[in-house]
Amino acid sequence: MAIQLGDIAPDFTADTTEGTVDFYDWLGDGWGVLFSHPADFTPVCTTELGMVAKLKDEFAKRNAKVIAVSVDPLESHQAWIGDINDTQHTNVNFPLIADPDRKVADLYGMIHPNASDTTTVRSVFLIGPDKKVKLMITYPAATGRNFNEILRVLDSLQLTANYSVATPVNWNQGDDVIIVPAVSDEAAKAKFPKGWKAERPYLRVTPQPNL
Ligand code: BEZ
């Protein structure tokens, strides 16, 4: 059955460009970003993996590790990394899973036969410290992802996991947030000492509580 939000992320062992990875051990107690790309030596994927390398510190600040996967073999990944580094002016600093037998791709439902029988789509899974799937997004092969959006979602997930808030449209770190409807006005007085503006009884806007 397809993975859904809140499911436990499947564990696996795989060969990667940084050695054998036991996924759960590799994740440790932090957050994980597992993302697939269609194929090595393709232009959009080259730009995506270069950008992820450049953003590694931003993921680390959020206690998140990134790992890529495609159905290409290890030797192909290793050769392609040289091109990514040269053309994107970076150093790939995270593991690429070699998945020629599609073990990981099938576990995570990354091959969508009506898009391609043979390659993974552009999937992203954000996995929490509890090993549960917190976000899934899927892009087609011809559309590169915006990894700043993945960082933005990580910020939202980490904030909303710790406070009784939700983040509104186009929210970014530092913007006002919304008090979740399950919190009564009475309870909100204690939880949100900075106060809030009620546009409607269900739409209460408050400054980000952890700043
Ligand atoms: C790319 O990464 O550029 C790409 C891969 C598969 C199909 C189309 C584009």
Side-chain angles (χ1 to χ4, degrees), residues 168 177-181 196-206:
V177 297
I178 289 169
I179 301 172
V180 295
W196 64 87
K197 184 173 175 210
E199 307 267 4
R200 291 287 185 277
Y202 59 84
L203 179 49
R204 296 167 296 175
V205 178
T206 190

Side-chain angles (χ1 to χ4, degrees), residues 65-127:
K65 293 167 100 177
V66 286
I67 190 164
V69 59
S70 76
V71 297
D72 300 283
L74 194 56
E75 310 75 54
S76 167
H77 281 344
Q78 280 158 341
W80 180 42
I81 282 174
D83 283 0
I84 299 171
N85 291 345
D86 282 354
T87 62
Q88 307 305 303
H89 312 290
T90 188
N91 277 303
V92 170
N93 46 18
F94 57 91
L96 277 62
I97 297 168
D99 194 34
D101 58 4
R102 307 182 185 188
K103 186 172 75 179
V104 176
D106 285 342
L107 262 181
Y108 279 83
M110 292 165 163
I111 293 181
H112 297 197
N114 290 325
S116 167
D117 274 336
T118 54
T119 61
T120 43
V121 292
R122 299 188 195 281
S123 296
V124 184
F125 290 86
L126 287 192
I127 297 161

Side-chain angles (χ1 to χ4, degrees), residues 7 9 13 25-26 32 38 40 42 46 51 67 85 93 97 99 107 109 112 129 141 143-144 148 152 164 178 180:
D7 289 356
T13 299
D25 291 347
W26 179 84
D40 295 354
T42 52
T46 301
M51 181 53 68
I67 190 164
N85 291 345
N93 46 18
I97 297 168
D99 194 34
L107 262 181
H112 297 197
T143 303
N148 288 318
R152 190 191 75 86
S164 302
I178 289 169
V180 295

Side-chain angles (χ1 to χ4, degrees), residues 36 38 44 48 112 115 120-123 137-145:
S36 57
V44 176
E48 285 191 329
H112 297 197
T120 43
V121 292
R122 299 188 195 281
S123 296
I137 59 172
T138 309
Y139 276 53
T143 303
R145 289 157 285 199

